[in-house]
Structure formats: structure tokens, C-alpha cells
Amino acid sequence: MARDIARAPMDGAITDVPGIRVGHFTETRRPTGCTVVLAEEGATAGVDVRGAAPGTRETDLLDPANLVDKVHAVLLSGGSAFGLDAAGGVMRWLEERGIGFQAGPACVPIVPAAVLFDLSLGDHRIRPDAAAGYAACEAASAMPPAMGSVGAGTGATVGKLFGQERAMKGGIGTASMRIGGITLGAIVAVNAVGDVLDPDTGEIVAGARDPEGRRPIGAMAGVLRGELPPRMQPGMATTIGVVATDAVLTKAQCRRLAGAAHDGLARSIDPIHTLHDGDTLFALATGRSGVPGNMMALGAIVPHVVAAAVLRGVRAARGMEPGPPAASELG
């Protein structure tokens, strides 16, 4: 049954959710970029931040006890904390179109954001900025977004438990599923300390390689054999993403949905939520279906959709210079 859920119905994209558009900006000077998830009509939102080294913006606003109940975009970016600058470009793009929270004479777009660490690839002084965020909005579409080494997934790597030199390429992936008259989708930029696993088979799709770099060895298997990880700096990884539905949800329900979505990371990445990851997932509800969300069903299905997005992103990735090889290149 689990295999049937995880495989067949999730070859779509987060843009299958009515009211959601996605755009990538991919930097050409080094492996980095950003991805924007637009909800221009406004979407109820929640967030769940895990791991010990997050880089985020406007997450406190999403607490159900706080005032603003709609967001207009979520930004996922490379560049570590510097990449948060890209959210300013998303705000400018939305403001130019009169989209935002009316605050006196101003229309203030609400743009939460999260970043991942990719500064070890190429010139770290090149990172997404406001112009990159604006360009991602210009590129946004309701068509299925590209996956792999694009947008926020451009500089993503996985399997870094034994160092970047033994890692493999990560990427950004998306998936969706339709159940009970509603659509649920996810987009995830996979940049993890841990290995990426197929939860159906236990197969290592991408992860820490042997010292010769020929094949994935299984990071946790290495630890259990007594190969201890070297010292790492906090914030060297982080997987970030967005889940979205057209169901009608409250802010509190969105936060619960974001929490359940992390189970999808736990299904497909091992280890997850480490000292060196700042894993952050947002949840958006556009309400376009008019159907109240069944939280039991959504909470049960969302881990499968997130895990499918993780696998699709890593399998679509390609190696680039500088950087480690992709799963498709090891054969």
C-alpha cells in the first residue's frame, strides 16, 4: 500500500494547486539561485523550522496568534543568509502590481523566506540578491517548474556527513497529488548533510561517497562502522521547501501541515534535522477549492508528496563545475 501511495499519483507539480505560480532564477556565474512560489491572491500560511542552523525571514508573522493571516509569496534561496536579500526583489515585484497587506497608505507584500547554504561552490561573493528575486517573479508560471540544478537547487548538495569532497549533487523537485476534491503539492530544494533514500526500497539515491568517489556508501552505515564525521560548521546544509493546497485551512492548520510535511524529509533523507541543517518547510492554503481541509487526510498524504519531490529533485540534478557529481553520473 505504501508503495502504491508513494509512486503512481505524484508526477505533477506544486503549480497544479490553483492560485500557485513558481519561478526560478539560476545564476550563471556560479552554482546558486532562488525560487519564488507566488500566491498573488493571498494564501493562508504556516511554517515549521527544524534543524539547528536556520536562515529565515518573516516566520514569526506566521504564528497563528499574530495579526497577518495571508502571504503573497514564499522565497527559497541559495546564498546562505545573504540570499535573504532576494526577498526584497519579490516585494518590489508584488508592490508594483498593488499586491500586499494594506497598512495605512502603503501596500506591503508579505514574503516569508528561507535560505540554504551553497557558498562553498565557486565565488561565495556571488549570491542571489534583490534583482534575482525580481527575475524569479518575472519568470513565474503556472506551468510545471523545471527540476534539478535550477533556482534554489542550483548549488544544493547532499551526503556531506564526511565532507563536501565526498558529497553528491542535490537539486530542487516538485510533486503533487489530488485527493477528495483538493490538490496538494510540494516543492523542495534538497541540500542535506544526510543521504537521500528511496523510502520504498531503502536504496541510496544520492549521498556520501566512498573515499575514491566511485559510489554512495551510506553515511549512517559508515557511522555505525565507526567512521566518525569530521568537524563541520553549523549551517553548511539545509533543506527548504513549500507545500501548498487549494483546501480551506486556518493558520493553525497550516502550521500543522508544515509540521507533518517534515515527515516526508524524514522518509527520504537520513540523517535529517541535524546540528548543521536549518530545515524549514512552509505550508500555503489558497482556499480556491472551497473545500475545508481534512487534516487527517492531508497530514497522512503530505509526507508522501514531500518525499516524492525530494527524490525527483535529486534524480533530475546534474553535476556542474565547481561541484560534486550527480546521481545520474555515477551509473
mmCIF file with all atom_site columns, all heavy atoms in Angstrom, residues 117-118 120 155-164 166-168 190-195 207-208 219 229-230 232 236-238 277:
data_model
loop_
_atom_site.group_PDB
_atom_site.id
_atom_site.type_symbol
_atom_site.label_atom_id
_atom_site.label_alt_id
_atom_site.label_comp_id
_atom_site.label_asym_id
_atom_site.label_entity_id
_atom_site.label_seq_id
_atom_site.pdbx_PDB_ins_code
_atom_site.Cartn_x
_atom_site.Cartn_y
_atom_site.Cartn_z
_atom_site.occupancy
_atom_site.B_iso_or_equiv
_atom_site.pdbx_formal_charge
_atom_site.auth_seq_id
_atom_site.auth_comp_id
_atom_site.auth_asym_id
_atom_site.auth_atom_id
_atom_site.pdbx_PDB_model_num
ATOM 1   N N   . PHE A 1 117 ? 22.573 26.779 2.426  1.00 0.00 ? 117 PHE A N   1
ATOM 2   C CA  . PHE A 1 117 ? 23.989 27.093 2.305  1.00 0.00 ? 117 PHE A CA  1
ATOM 3   C C   . PHE A 1 117 ? 24.566 26.457 1.047  1.00 0.00 ? 117 PHE A C   1
ATOM 4   O O   . PHE A 1 117 ? 24.549 25.239 0.894  1.00 0.00 ? 117 PHE A O   1
ATOM 5   C CB  . PHE A 1 117 ? 24.758 26.593 3.532  1.00 0.00 ? 117 PHE A CB  1
ATOM 6   C CG  . PHE A 1 117 ? 26.209 27.015 3.551  1.00 0.00 ? 117 PHE A CG  1
ATOM 7   C CD1 . PHE A 1 117 ? 26.598 28.163 4.218  1.00 0.00 ? 117 PHE A CD1 1
ATOM 8   C CD2 . PHE A 1 117 ? 27.175 26.272 2.885  1.00 0.00 ? 117 PHE A CD2 1
ATOM 9   C CE1 . PHE A 1 117 ? 27.935 28.568 4.229  1.00 0.00 ? 117 PHE A CE1 1
ATOM 10  C CE2 . PHE A 1 117 ? 28.500 26.657 2.890  1.00 0.00 ? 117 PHE A CE2 1
ATOM 11  C CZ  . PHE A 1 117 ? 28.880 27.804 3.569  1.00 0.00 ? 117 PHE A CZ  1
ATOM 12  N N   . ASP A 1 118 ? 25.079 27.288 0.135  1.00 0.00 ? 118 ASP A N   1
ATOM 13  C CA  . ASP A 1 118 ? 25.770 26.790 -1.058 1.00 0.00 ? 118 ASP A CA  1
ATOM 14  C C   . ASP A 1 118 ? 27.035 27.610 -1.345 1.00 0.00 ? 118 ASP A C   1
ATOM 15  O O   . ASP A 1 118 ? 27.549 27.609 -2.466 1.00 0.00 ? 118 ASP A O   1
ATOM 16  C CB  . ASP A 1 118 ? 24.838 26.795 -2.280 1.00 0.00 ? 118 ASP A CB  1
ATOM 17  C CG  . ASP A 1 118 ? 24.281 28.182 -2.598 1.00 0.00 ? 118 ASP A CG  1
ATOM 18  O OD1 . ASP A 1 118 ? 24.751 29.182 -2.018 1.00 0.00 ? 118 ASP A OD1 1
ATOM 19  O OD2 . ASP A 1 118 ? 23.371 28.266 -3.449 1.00 0.00 ? 118 ASP A OD2 1
ATOM 20  N N   . SER A 1 120 ? 30.057 27.217 -0.576 1.00 0.00 ? 120 SER A N   1
ATOM 21  C CA  . SER A 1 120 ? 31.323 26.501 -0.767 1.00 0.00 ? 120 SER A CA  1
ATOM 22  C C   . SER A 1 120 ? 31.604 26.193 -2.228 1.00 0.00 ? 120 SER A C   1
ATOM 23  O O   . SER A 1 120 ? 32.694 25.710 -2.566 1.00 0.00 ? 120 SER A O   1
ATOM 24  C CB  . SER A 1 120 ? 31.316 25.204 0.040  1.00 0.00 ? 120 SER A CB  1
ATOM 25  O OG  . SER A 1 120 ? 30.230 24.381 -0.334 1.00 0.00 ? 120 SER A OG  1
ATOM 26  N N   . GLY A 1 155 ? 22.889 25.142 -6.430 1.00 0.00 ? 155 GLY A N   1
ATOM 27  C CA  . GLY A 1 155 ? 24.100 24.815 -5.690 1.00 0.00 ? 155 GLY A CA  1
ATOM 28  C C   . GLY A 1 155 ? 23.890 23.804 -4.584 1.00 0.00 ? 155 GLY A C   1
ATOM 29  O O   . GLY A 1 155 ? 24.777 23.619 -3.735 1.00 0.00 ? 155 GLY A O   1
ATOM 30  N N   . ALA A 1 156 ? 22.749 23.137 -4.573 1.00 0.00 ? 156 ALA A N   1
ATOM 31  C CA  . ALA A 1 156 ? 22.433 22.191 -3.498 1.00 0.00 ? 156 ALA A CA  1
ATOM 32  C C   . ALA A 1 156 ? 23.276 20.924 -3.624 1.00 0.00 ? 156 ALA A C   1
ATOM 33  O O   . ALA A 1 156 ? 23.500 20.415 -4.725 1.00 0.00 ? 156 ALA A O   1
ATOM 34  C CB  . ALA A 1 156 ? 20.949 21.839 -3.538 1.00 0.00 ? 156 ALA A CB  1
ATOM 35  N N   . THR A 1 157 ? 23.723 20.406 -2.487 1.00 0.00 ? 157 THR A N   1
ATOM 36  C CA  . THR A 1 157 ? 24.461 19.152 -2.430 1.00 0.00 ? 157 THR A CA  1
ATOM 37  C C   . THR A 1 157 ? 23.924 18.311 -1.284 1.00 0.00 ? 157 THR A C   1
ATOM 38  O O   . THR A 1 157 ? 23.298 18.820 -0.357 1.00 0.00 ? 157 THR A O   1
ATOM 39  C CB  . THR A 1 157 ? 25.969 19.401 -2.238 1.00 0.00 ? 157 THR A CB  1
ATOM 40  O OG1 . THR A 1 157 ? 26.171 20.280 -1.125 1.00 0.00 ? 157 THR A OG1 1
ATOM 41  C CG2 . THR A 1 157 ? 26.580 20.035 -3.482 1.00 0.00 ? 157 THR A CG2 1
ATOM 42  N N   . VAL A 1 158 ? 24.189 17.007 -1.338 1.00 0.00 ? 158 VAL A N   1
ATOM 43  C CA  . VAL A 1 158 ? 23.717 16.089 -0.300 1.00 0.00 ? 158 VAL A CA  1
ATOM 44  C C   . VAL A 1 158 ? 24.842 15.133 0.072  1.00 0.00 ? 158 VAL A C   1
ATOM 45  O O   . VAL A 1 158 ? 25.839 15.019 -0.627 1.00 0.00 ? 158 VAL A O   1
ATOM 46  C CB  . VAL A 1 158 ? 22.472 15.296 -0.766 1.00 0.00 ? 158 VAL A CB  1
ATOM 47  C CG1 . VAL A 1 158 ? 21.317 16.227 -1.100 1.00 0.00 ? 158 VAL A CG1 1
ATOM 48  C CG2 . VAL A 1 158 ? 22.803 14.412 -1.968 1.00 0.00 ? 158 VAL A CG2 1
ATOM 49  N N   . GLY A 1 159 ? 24.670 14.440 1.201  1.00 0.00 ? 159 GLY A N   1
ATOM 50  C CA  . GLY A 1 159 ? 25.662 13.467 1.619  1.00 0.00 ? 159 GLY A CA  1
ATOM 51  C C   . GLY A 1 159 ? 26.949 14.104 2.106  1.00 0.00 ? 159 GLY A C   1
ATOM 52  O O   . GLY A 1 159 ? 28.044 13.627 1.802  1.00 0.00 ? 159 GLY A O   1
ATOM 53  N N   . LYS A 1 160 ? 26.836 15.166 2.908  1.00 0.00 ? 160 LYS A N   1
ATOM 54  C CA  . LYS A 1 160 ? 28.020 15.919 3.342  1.00 0.00 ? 160 LYS A CA  1
ATOM 55  C C   . LYS A 1 160 ? 28.531 15.507 4.717  1.00 0.00 ? 160 LYS A C   1
ATOM 56  O O   . LYS A 1 160 ? 29.358 16.202 5.306  1.00 0.00 ? 160 LYS A O   1
ATOM 57  C CB  . LYS A 1 160 ? 27.692 17.414 3.328  1.00 0.00 ? 160 LYS A CB  1
ATOM 58  C CG  . LYS A 1 160 ? 27.554 17.955 1.917  1.00 0.00 ? 160 LYS A CG  1
ATOM 59  C CD  . LYS A 1 160 ? 27.058 19.383 1.876  1.00 0.00 ? 160 LYS A CD  1
ATOM 60  C CE  . LYS A 1 160 ? 25.554 19.431 1.963  1.00 0.00 ? 160 LYS A CE  1
ATOM 61  N NZ  . LYS A 1 160 ? 25.001 20.720 1.511  1.00 0.00 ? 160 LYS A NZ  1
ATOM 62  N N   . LEU A 1 161 ? 28.074 14.367 5.216  1.00 0.00 ? 161 LEU A N   1
ATOM 63  C CA  . LEU A 1 161 ? 28.449 13.962 6.569  1.00 0.00 ? 161 LEU A CA  1
ATOM 64  C C   . LEU A 1 161 ? 29.960 13.776 6.701  1.00 0.00 ? 161 LEU A C   1
ATOM 65  O O   . LEU A 1 161 ? 30.533 14.015 7.756  1.00 0.00 ? 161 LEU A O   1
ATOM 66  C CB  . LEU A 1 161 ? 27.727 12.668 6.945  1.00 0.00 ? 161 LEU A CB  1
ATOM 67  C CG  . LEU A 1 161 ? 27.688 12.331 8.434  1.00 0.00 ? 161 LEU A CG  1
ATOM 68  C CD1 . LEU A 1 161 ? 26.895 13.378 9.207  1.00 0.00 ? 161 LEU A CD1 1
ATOM 69  C CD2 . LEU A 1 161 ? 27.064 10.950 8.652  1.00 0.00 ? 161 LEU A CD2 1
ATOM 70  N N   . PHE A 1 162 ? 30.618 13.355 5.604  1.00 0.00 ? 162 PHE A N   1
ATOM 71  C CA  . PHE A 1 162 ? 32.068 13.156 5.638  1.00 0.00 ? 162 PHE A CA  1
ATOM 72  C C   . PHE A 1 162 ? 32.810 14.221 4.839  1.00 0.00 ? 162 PHE A C   1
ATOM 73  O O   . PHE A 1 162 ? 33.949 14.015 4.419  1.00 0.00 ? 162 PHE A O   1
ATOM 74  C CB  . PHE A 1 162 ? 32.406 11.762 5.109  1.00 0.00 ? 162 PHE A CB  1
ATOM 75  C CG  . PHE A 1 162 ? 31.763 10.664 5.900  1.00 0.00 ? 162 PHE A CG  1
ATOM 76  C CD1 . PHE A 1 162 ? 30.891 9.781  5.298  1.00 0.00 ? 162 PHE A CD1 1
ATOM 77  C CD2 . PHE A 1 162 ? 32.007 10.533 7.262  1.00 0.00 ? 162 PHE A CD2 1
ATOM 78  C CE1 . PHE A 1 162 ? 30.289 8.771  6.033  1.00 0.00 ? 162 PHE A CE1 1
ATOM 79  C CE2 . PHE A 1 162 ? 31.398 9.530  8.000  1.00 0.00 ? 162 PHE A CE2 1
ATOM 80  C CZ  . PHE A 1 162 ? 30.539 8.650  7.388  1.00 0.00 ? 162 PHE A CZ  1
ATOM 81  N N   . GLY A 1 163 ? 32.155 15.365 4.634  1.00 0.00 ? 163 GLY A N   1
ATOM 82  C CA  . GLY A 1 163 ? 32.806 16.472 3.953  1.00 0.00 ? 163 GLY A CA  1
ATOM 83  C C   . GLY A 1 163 ? 32.283 16.682 2.546  1.00 0.00 ? 163 GLY A C   1
ATOM 84  O O   . GLY A 1 163 ? 31.786 15.756 1.894  1.00 0.00 ? 163 GLY A O   1
ATOM 85  N N   . GLN A 1 164 ? 32.416 17.923 2.066  1.00 0.00 ? 164 GLN A N   1
ATOM 86  C CA  . GLN A 1 164 ? 31.927 18.300 0.743  1.00 0.00 ? 164 GLN A CA  1
ATOM 87  C C   . GLN A 1 164 ? 32.609 17.494 -0.368 1.00 0.00 ? 164 GLN A C   1
ATOM 88  O O   . GLN A 1 164 ? 32.003 17.195 -1.400 1.00 0.00 ? 164 GLN A O   1
ATOM 89  C CB  . GLN A 1 164 ? 32.163 19.796 0.520  1.00 0.00 ? 164 GLN A CB  1
ATOM 90  C CG  . GLN A 1 164 ? 31.638 20.340 -0.790 1.00 0.00 ? 164 GLN A CG  1
ATOM 91  C CD  . GLN A 1 164 ? 30.118 20.471 -0.814 1.00 0.00 ? 164 GLN A CD  1
ATOM 92  O OE1 . GLN A 1 164 ? 29.504 20.847 0.171  1.00 0.00 ? 164 GLN A OE1 1
ATOM 93  N NE2 . GLN A 1 164 ? 29.508 20.143 -1.934 1.00 0.00 ? 164 GLN A NE2 1
ATOM 94  N N   . ARG A 1 166 ? 33.226 14.479 -0.561 1.00 0.00 ? 166 ARG A N   1
ATOM 95  C CA  . ARG A 1 166 ? 32.616 13.168 -0.773 1.00 0.00 ? 166 ARG A CA  1
ATOM 96  C C   . ARG A 1 166 ? 31.105 13.271 -0.973 1.00 0.00 ? 166 ARG A C   1
ATOM 97  O O   . ARG A 1 166 ? 30.397 12.262 -0.938 1.00 0.00 ? 166 ARG A O   1
ATOM 98  C CB  . ARG A 1 166 ? 32.939 12.252 0.412  1.00 0.00 ? 166 ARG A CB  1
ATOM 99  C CG  . ARG A 1 166 ? 34.407 11.857 0.454  1.00 0.00 ? 166 ARG A CG  1
ATOM 100 C CD  . ARG A 1 166 ? 34.775 11.107 1.715  1.00 0.00 ? 166 ARG A CD  1
ATOM 101 N NE  . ARG A 1 166 ? 34.035 9.861  1.868  1.00 0.00 ? 166 ARG A NE  1
ATOM 102 C CZ  . ARG A 1 166 ? 34.185 9.048  2.923  1.00 0.00 ? 166 ARG A CZ  1
ATOM 103 N NH1 . ARG A 1 166 ? 35.044 9.353  3.891  1.00 0.00 ? 166 ARG A NH1 1
ATOM 104 N NH2 . ARG A 1 166 ? 33.492 7.929  3.002  1.00 0.00 ? 166 ARG A NH2 1
ATOM 105 N N   . ALA A 1 167 ? 30.604 14.465 -1.208 1.00 0.00 ? 167 ALA A N   1
ATOM 106 C CA  . ALA A 1 167 ? 29.166 14.696 -1.375 1.00 0.00 ? 167 ALA A CA  1
ATOM 107 C C   . ALA A 1 167 ? 28.728 14.387 -2.805 1.00 0.00 ? 167 ALA A C   1
ATOM 108 O O   . ALA A 1 167 ? 29.539 14.039 -3.679 1.00 0.00 ? 167 ALA A O   1
ATOM 109 C CB  . ALA A 1 167 ? 28.828 16.140 -1.014 1.00 0.00 ? 167 ALA A CB  1
ATOM 110 N N   . MET A 1 168 ? 27.422 14.542 -3.050 1.00 0.00 ? 168 MET A N   1
ATOM 111 C CA  . MET A 1 168 ? 26.851 14.435 -4.385 1.00 0.00 ? 168 MET A CA  1
ATOM 112 C C   . MET A 1 168 ? 25.896 15.601 -4.602 1.00 0.00 ? 168 MET A C   1
ATOM 113 O O   . MET A 1 168 ? 25.545 16.324 -3.676 1.00 0.00 ? 168 MET A O   1
ATOM 114 C CB  . MET A 1 168 ? 26.128 13.090 -4.564 1.00 0.00 ? 168 MET A CB  1
ATOM 115 C CG  . MET A 1 168 ? 27.068 11.898 -4.592 1.00 0.00 ? 168 MET A CG  1
ATOM 116 S SD  . MET A 1 168 ? 26.203 10.305 -4.747 1.00 0.00 ? 168 MET A SD  1
ATOM 117 C CE  . MET A 1 168 ? 25.487 10.467 -6.387 1.00 0.00 ? 168 MET A CE  1
ATOM 118 N N   . VAL A 1 190 ? 16.740 20.419 -2.071 1.00 0.00 ? 190 VAL A N   1
ATOM 119 C CA  . VAL A 1 190 ? 17.340 19.362 -1.252 1.00 0.00 ? 190 VAL A CA  1
ATOM 120 C C   . VAL A 1 190 ? 18.837 19.617 -1.115 1.00 0.00 ? 190 VAL A C   1
ATOM 121 O O   . VAL A 1 190 ? 19.606 19.432 -2.055 1.00 0.00 ? 190 VAL A O   1
ATOM 122 C CB  . VAL A 1 190 ? 17.084 17.980 -1.877 1.00 0.00 ? 190 VAL A CB  1
ATOM 123 C CG1 . VAL A 1 190 ? 17.525 16.880 -0.916 1.00 0.00 ? 190 VAL A CG1 1
ATOM 124 C CG2 . VAL A 1 190 ? 15.616 17.815 -2.253 1.00 0.00 ? 190 VAL A CG2 1
ATOM 125 N N   . ASN A 1 191 ? 19.243 20.006 0.081  1.00 0.00 ? 191 ASN A N   1
ATOM 126 C CA  . ASN A 1 191 ? 20.630 20.411 0.353  1.00 0.00 ? 191 ASN A CA  1
ATOM 127 C C   . ASN A 1 191 ? 20.983 19.916 1.751  1.00 0.00 ? 191 ASN A C   1
ATOM 128 O O   . ASN A 1 191 ? 21.018 20.679 2.708  1.00 0.00 ? 191 ASN A O   1
ATOM 129 C CB  . ASN A 1 191 ? 20.730 21.941 0.265  1.00 0.00 ? 191 ASN A CB  1
ATOM 130 C CG  . ASN A 1 191 ? 22.140 22.449 0.445  1.00 0.00 ? 191 ASN A CG  1
ATOM 131 O OD1 . ASN A 1 191 ? 23.029 22.129 -0.343 1.00 0.00 ? 191 ASN A OD1 1
ATOM 132 N ND2 . ASN A 1 191 ? 22.356 23.261 1.471  1.00 0.00 ? 191 ASN A ND2 1
ATOM 133 N N   . ALA A 1 192 ? 21.229 18.615 1.864  1.00 0.00 ? 192 ALA A N   1
ATOM 134 C CA  . ALA A 1 192 ? 21.241 17.970 3.173  1.00 0.00 ? 192 ALA A CA  1
ATOM 135 C C   . ALA A 1 192 ? 22.610 17.455 3.570  1.00 0.00 ? 192 ALA A C   1
ATOM 136 O O   . ALA A 1 192 ? 23.404 17.030 2.722  1.00 0.00 ? 192 ALA A O   1
ATOM 137 C CB  . ALA A 1 192 ? 20.253 16.806 3.176  1.00 0.00 ? 192 ALA A CB  1
ATOM 138 N N   . VAL A 1 193 ? 22.861 17.441 4.886  1.00 0.00 ? 193 VAL A N   1
ATOM 139 C CA  . VAL A 1 193 ? 24.003 16.698 5.421  1.00 0.00 ? 193 VAL A CA  1
ATOM 140 C C   . VAL A 1 193 ? 23.845 15.220 5.094  1.00 0.00 ? 193 VAL A C   1
ATOM 141 O O   . VAL A 1 193 ? 24.798 14.527 4.731  1.00 0.00 ? 193 VAL A O   1
ATOM 142 C CB  . VAL A 1 193 ? 24.114 16.904 6.939  1.00 0.00 ? 193 VAL A CB  1
ATOM 143 C CG1 . VAL A 1 193 ? 25.100 15.907 7.546  1.00 0.00 ? 193 VAL A CG1 1
ATOM 144 C CG2 . VAL A 1 193 ? 24.572 18.324 7.261  1.00 0.00 ? 193 VAL A CG2 1
ATOM 145 N N   . GLY A 1 194 ? 22.628 14.713 5.195  1.00 0.00 ? 194 GLY A N   1
ATOM 146 C CA  . GLY A 1 194 ? 22.370 13.290 5.058  1.00 0.00 ? 194 GLY A CA  1
ATOM 147 C C   . GLY A 1 194 ? 22.249 12.811 3.625  1.00 0.00 ? 194 GLY A C   1
ATOM 148 O O   . GLY A 1 194 ? 22.321 13.574 2.655  1.00 0.00 ? 194 GLY A O   1
ATOM 149 N N   . ASP A 1 195 ? 22.072 11.496 3.491  1.00 0.00 ? 195 ASP A N   1
ATOM 150 C CA  . ASP A 1 195 ? 21.848 10.845 2.204  1.00 0.00 ? 195 ASP A CA  1
ATOM 151 C C   . ASP A 1 195 ? 20.383 10.945 1.809  1.00 0.00 ? 195 ASP A C   1
ATOM 152 O O   . ASP A 1 195 ? 19.497 11.015 2.669  1.00 0.00 ? 195 ASP A O   1
ATOM 153 C CB  . ASP A 1 195 ? 22.201 9.356  2.284  1.00 0.00 ? 195 ASP A CB  1
ATOM 154 C CG  . ASP A 1 195 ? 23.654 9.107  2.614  1.00 0.00 ? 195 ASP A CG  1
ATOM 155 O OD1 . ASP A 1 195 ? 24.500 9.977  2.325  1.00 0.00 ? 195 ASP A OD1 1
ATOM 156 O OD2 . ASP A 1 195 ? 23.951 8.029  3.167  1.00 0.00 ? 195 ASP A OD2 1
ATOM 157 N N   . GLY A 1 207 ? 24.249 10.453 -2.041 1.00 0.00 ? 207 GLY A N   1
ATOM 158 C CA  . GLY A 1 207 ? 24.725 10.658 -0.686 1.00 0.00 ? 207 GLY A CA  1
ATOM 159 C C   . GLY A 1 207 ? 26.228 10.607 -0.587 1.00 0.00 ? 207 GLY A C   1
ATOM 160 O O   . GLY A 1 207 ? 26.933 10.757 -1.594 1.00 0.00 ? 207 GLY A O   1
ATOM 161 N N   . ALA A 1 208 ? 26.701 10.392 0.615  1.00 0.00 ? 208 ALA A N   1
ATOM 162 C CA  . ALA A 1 208 ? 28.140 10.358 0.859  1.00 0.00 ? 208 ALA A CA  1
ATOM 163 C C   . ALA A 1 208 ? 28.794 9.239  0.047  1.00 0.00 ? 208 ALA A C   1
ATOM 164 O O   . ALA A 1 208 ? 28.330 8.093  0.072  1.00 0.00 ? 208 ALA A O   1
ATOM 165 C CB  . ALA A 1 208 ? 28.412 10.166 2.345  1.00 0.00 ? 208 ALA A CB  1
ATOM 166 N N   . ALA A 1 219 ? 25.872 7.012  4.561  1.00 0.00 ? 219 ALA A N   1
ATOM 167 C CA  . ALA A 1 219 ? 26.502 7.778  5.635  1.00 0.00 ? 219 ALA A CA  1
ATOM 168 C C   . ALA A 1 219 ? 26.289 7.126  6.992  1.00 0.00 ? 219 ALA A C   1
ATOM 169 O O   . ALA A 1 219 ? 27.222 6.982  7.785  1.00 0.00 ? 219 ALA A O   1
ATOM 170 C CB  . ALA A 1 219 ? 25.968 9.208  5.634  1.00 0.00 ? 219 ALA A CB  1
ATOM 171 N N   . PRO A 1 229 ? 32.124 11.410 11.618 1.00 0.00 ? 229 PRO A N   1
ATOM 172 C CA  . PRO A 1 229 ? 32.168 12.597 10.761 1.00 0.00 ? 229 PRO A CA  1
ATOM 173 C C   . PRO A 1 229 ? 33.232 13.581 11.225 1.00 0.00 ? 229 PRO A C   1
ATOM 174 O O   . PRO A 1 229 ? 33.512 13.686 12.427 1.00 0.00 ? 229 PRO A O   1
ATOM 175 C CB  . PRO A 1 229 ? 30.760 13.201 10.910 1.00 0.00 ? 229 PRO A CB  1
ATOM 176 C CG  . PRO A 1 229 ? 29.929 12.115 11.481 1.00 0.00 ? 229 PRO A CG  1
ATOM 177 C CD  . PRO A 1 229 ? 30.845 11.253 12.288 1.00 0.00 ? 229 PRO A CD  1
ATOM 178 N N   . PRO A 1 230 ? 33.864 14.313 10.291 1.00 0.00 ? 230 PRO A N   1
ATOM 179 C CA  . PRO A 1 230 ? 34.789 15.365 10.682 1.00 0.00 ? 230 PRO A CA  1
ATOM 180 C C   . PRO A 1 230 ? 34.027 16.544 11.277 1.00 0.00 ? 230 PRO A C   1
ATOM 181 O O   . PRO A 1 230 ? 32.798 16.609 11.209 1.00 0.00 ? 230 PRO A O   1
ATOM 182 C CB  . PRO A 1 230 ? 35.448 15.760 9.356  1.00 0.00 ? 230 PRO A CB  1
ATOM 183 C CG  . PRO A 1 230 ? 34.412 15.458 8.332  1.00 0.00 ? 230 PRO A CG  1
ATOM 184 C CD  . PRO A 1 230 ? 33.702 14.227 8.834  1.00 0.00 ? 230 PRO A CD  1
ATOM 185 N N   . MET A 1 232 ? 32.285 19.900 11.371 1.00 0.00 ? 232 MET A N   1
ATOM 186 C CA  . MET A 1 232 ? 31.611 20.713 10.369 1.00 0.00 ? 232 MET A CA  1
ATOM 187 C C   . MET A 1 232 ? 31.150 22.004 11.005 1.00 0.00 ? 232 MET A C   1
ATOM 188 O O   . MET A 1 232 ? 30.932 22.080 12.214 1.00 0.00 ? 232 MET A O   1
ATOM 189 C CB  . MET A 1 232 ? 30.396 19.975 9.788  1.00 0.00 ? 232 MET A CB  1
ATOM 190 C CG  . MET A 1 232 ? 30.729 18.706 9.041  1.00 0.00 ? 232 MET A CG  1
ATOM 191 S SD  . MET A 1 232 ? 29.241 17.826 8.525  1.00 0.00 ? 232 MET A SD  1
ATOM 192 C CE  . MET A 1 232 ? 28.499 18.995 7.401  1.00 0.00 ? 232 MET A CE  1
ATOM 193 N N   . MET A 1 236 ? 25.975 24.407 7.167  1.00 0.00 ? 236 MET A N   1
ATOM 194 C CA  . MET A 1 236 ? 26.598 24.001 5.907  1.00 0.00 ? 236 MET A CA  1
ATOM 195 C C   . MET A 1 236 ? 25.633 23.265 4.992  1.00 0.00 ? 236 MET A C   1
ATOM 196 O O   . MET A 1 236 ? 26.042 22.779 3.946  1.00 0.00 ? 236 MET A O   1
ATOM 197 C CB  . MET A 1 236 ? 27.807 23.115 6.193  1.00 0.00 ? 236 MET A CB  1
ATOM 198 C CG  . MET A 1 236 ? 28.932 23.824 6.932  1.00 0.00 ? 236 MET A CG  1
ATOM 199 S SD  . MET A 1 236 ? 29.688 25.141 5.954  1.00 0.00 ? 236 MET A SD  1
ATOM 200 C CE  . MET A 1 236 ? 30.664 24.183 4.814  1.00 0.00 ? 236 MET A CE  1
ATOM 201 N N   . ALA A 1 237 ? 24.378 23.157 5.350  1.00 0.00 ? 237 ALA A N   1
ATOM 202 C CA  . ALA A 1 237 ? 23.441 22.393 4.535  1.00 0.00 ? 237 ALA A CA  1
ATOM 203 C C   . ALA A 1 237 ? 22.090 23.107 4.501  1.00 0.00 ? 237 ALA A C   1
ATOM 204 O O   . ALA A 1 237 ? 22.000 24.252 4.132  1.00 0.00 ? 237 ALA A O   1
ATOM 205 C CB  . ALA A 1 237 ? 23.338 20.969 5.064  1.00 0.00 ? 237 ALA A CB  1
ATOM 206 N N   . THR A 1 238 ? 21.022 22.428 4.870  1.00 0.00 ? 238 THR A N   1
ATOM 207 C CA  . THR A 1 238 ? 19.643 22.922 4.982  1.00 0.00 ? 238 THR A CA  1
ATOM 208 C C   . THR A 1 238 ? 18.792 22.594 3.758  1.00 0.00 ? 238 THR A C   1
ATOM 209 O O   . THR A 1 238 ? 19.106 22.974 2.628  1.00 0.00 ? 238 THR A O   1
ATOM 210 C CB  . THR A 1 238 ? 19.581 24.434 5.247  1.00 0.00 ? 238 THR A CB  1
ATOM 211 O OG1 . THR A 1 238 ? 20.213 24.725 6.493  1.00 0.00 ? 238 THR A OG1 1
ATOM 212 C CG2 . THR A 1 238 ? 18.145 24.922 5.301  1.00 0.00 ? 238 THR A CG2 1
ATOM 213 N N   . ASP A 1 277 ? 21.959 21.462 9.738  1.00 0.00 ? 277 ASP A N   1
ATOM 214 C CA  . ASP A 1 277 ? 20.845 21.764 8.840  1.00 0.00 ? 277 ASP A CA  1
ATOM 215 C C   . ASP A 1 277 ? 19.925 22.791 9.503  1.00 0.00 ? 277 ASP A C   1
ATOM 216 O O   . ASP A 1 277 ? 19.781 22.810 10.725 1.00 0.00 ? 277 ASP A O   1
ATOM 217 C CB  . ASP A 1 277 ? 20.013 20.504 8.563  1.00 0.00 ? 277 ASP A CB  1
ATOM 218 C CG  . ASP A 1 277 ? 20.745 19.464 7.739  1.00 0.00 ? 277 ASP A CG  1
ATOM 219 O OD1 . ASP A 1 277 ? 21.043 19.744 6.570  1.00 0.00 ? 277 ASP A OD1 1
ATOM 220 O OD2 . ASP A 1 277 ? 21.010 18.361 8.268  1.00 0.00 ? 277 ASP A OD2 1
#
